[in-house]
Amino acid sequence: MLRPCGDFKRNYSQEEAILQTRFIKVVIPLFVLTLYCLPLFLGDFYLYLLNLVFIAILGAQGINILTGFTGQISLGHGAFIGIGAYTAGVFSTKLGFSVWVVLPAAGCASALIGVMVGVPSLRIKGFYLAMATLALQFLMEYLFMELRPITGGSEGLYLERPSIFGLVLDTDRQFYFLGATIAILATLGARNLLRTRVGRAFISIRDRDIAAELIGVDIFKYKIMSFAISSFYAGVAGALLAYYITVINPQSFSIHLSIDYLAMIIIGGLGSVLGAIYGAIFIVLFPEFLKIWIEFAAQYLPIDEVFPAIREILFGFIIVFFLIFEPEGLAKIWWNIKAYWKLWPFSY
């Protein structure tokens, strides 16, 4: 009996399937199961880092949809996250809504602002669009500070941990399951988006917007949609962050946060769902490894007081390194490793 050899597809549905091989269909459920079992074995510090990773993944998938899929450069992602965080603070603290209302409301509030920012994207792009989103970032920082009756000004807002079905998620272990679930759903949503007409329209705009318009793609509609979806992700990420750290202030959503999220998708790989995950993990965990190195080196060199400067220098160096030597980021490096071992010893 003849059997097919290799990995090939017979139709478009097989080509765009999320779980394409038997191996993946087995590994992914096992990985998710392992992910949910990790809190049984990890301490609070590691759970704290993983919770930050889940929140970062959510925000990174959002900016990846806008910049990686659609090619619209944004330097205001931190502002959208801040809008979601303050919306969560107002809705939960001052209005008393539950987490089931707060999370969608935070996403919708950010999406509304995202649509307003996306309107000029029909006339401007590239460097000029980046400057427009940068202006939004500075404007929102100013409003976060000056709208004291709503945002609390420099003192910020204080939130209580969310409650689900009467269970207050007041520990890292309990919050872990909420963060992991939302991160998984957001990743599946971003991956599935690529398989739809909308996702293909985003990619066509990124690759050649004039050609996309000539073949019938409504440029304005899909750019607005990209801003809305990206901002929605950012708003939910901001709400989760507000619930987790319980204290939000304007300094938490500065331009540095926007740069961090842009670095995530550059290092992880622009236009790659897995790349956004790799980049989020890298950006969250890299400062922790750097702290360990600083503590070790401080025993011999007086460098412990310049940690912020070292962090920024290394971040810049890493971004430039990836842009020059591997523009497709960690996702491409991982793909090359898999391809090598699949073909080994006949790697040619």
Side-chain angles (χ1 to χ4, degrees), residues 74-142:
S74 173
L75 293 176
H77 204 63
F80 295 121
I81 293 176
I83 292 169
Y86 277 105
T87 301
V90 172
F91 272 61
S92 63
T93 302
K94 299 185 178 182
L95 302 180
F97 287 110
S98 68
V99 65
W100 305 110
V101 176
V102 170
L103 291 180
C108 291
S110 293
L112 178 62
I113 302 299
V115 168
M116 296 171 61
V117 174
V119 170
S121 66
L122 183 64
R123 303 298 299 270
I124 59 176
K125 58 183 178 179
F127 173 79
Y128 301 101
L129 180 60
M131 291 299 99
T133 56
L134 182 62
L136 170 73
Q137 173 69 45
F138 292 137
L139 173 62
M140 295 312 301
E141 287 184 32
Y142 175 80

